[in-house]
Amino acid sequence: MAEFKIVGKRNLYHFSKLPLEEKYVISDLLRRAVISVPSNIAEGSARLSTKEQIRFYEIAFGSLMEVYCQLQLCIDVEYLISEDIKNSKKLIFTISKQLSKMRTFLQTKTK
């Protein structure tokens, strides 16, 4: 599975460009969502029920989409430019495909 450095060290410096009143709020939201992705994958993989595993992978996917949304909003309000999050968007796409494949695999396993 891919690394979960969705907003890695190289990308974090861009958040220093944010207005002070937004910097900590957005950084905190992103940090929580980024941490939620691997945390839910780990918790789901520890579940014995396939149905529960699927649910935790769905939650991880939702958190991943939350990260994408927050980064996109930063672009929309011109706090960041697309180039600032180019690598993060690639990782989000890769991880989302992996989560979707895992969910599909588990769903076929339950049929």
Side-chain angles (χ1 to χ4, degrees):
M1 191 160 274
E3 284 186 36
F4 289 95
K5 293 169 78 176
I6 297 168
V7 183
K9 289 179 185 174
R10 297 180 77 194
N11 295 342
L12 281 179
Y13 80 93
H14 295 296
F15 289 99
S16 62
K17 299 178 186 177
L18 298 175
L20 189 57
E21 66 274 6
E22 296 292 339
K23 184 192 298 189
Y24 300 106
V25 174
I26 292 172
S27 295
D28 186 53
L29 287 170
L30 277 167
R31 186 177 299 110
R32 288 172 188 260
V34 167
I35 290 169
S36 177
V37 176
S39 297
N40 279 292
I41 290 170
E43 188 167 352
S45 67
R47 297 295 173 142
L48 298 177
S49 160
T50 304
K51 187 176 180 179
E52 284 185 283
Q53 289 175 346
I54 291 169
R55 182 67 187 129
F56 278 95
Y57 291 136
E58 289 171 341
I59 293 168
F61 185 85
S63 294
L64 189 62
M65 293 302 102
E66 187 178 343
V67 171
Y68 178 79
C69 177
Q70 291 164 359
L71 291 174
Q72 194 59 49
L73 286 171
C74 285
I75 291 170
D76 292 348
V77 296
E78 298 179 351
Y79 293 158
L80 300 172
I81 58 172
S82 289
E83 192 63 31
D84 291 341
I85 64 165
K86 186 173 150 185
N87 292 333
S88 296
K89 286 172 82 172
K90 285 180 186 177
L91 279 171
I92 289 169
F93 180 71
T94 300
I95 295 166
S96 69
K97 284 188 352 185
Q98 292 172 336
L99 286 170
S100 293
K101 286 180 183 178
M102 180 58 90
R103 181 177 179 249
T104 302
F105 169 75
L106 289 171
Q107 285 176 328
T108 58
K109 185 176 150 182
T110 60
K111 292 182 180 179

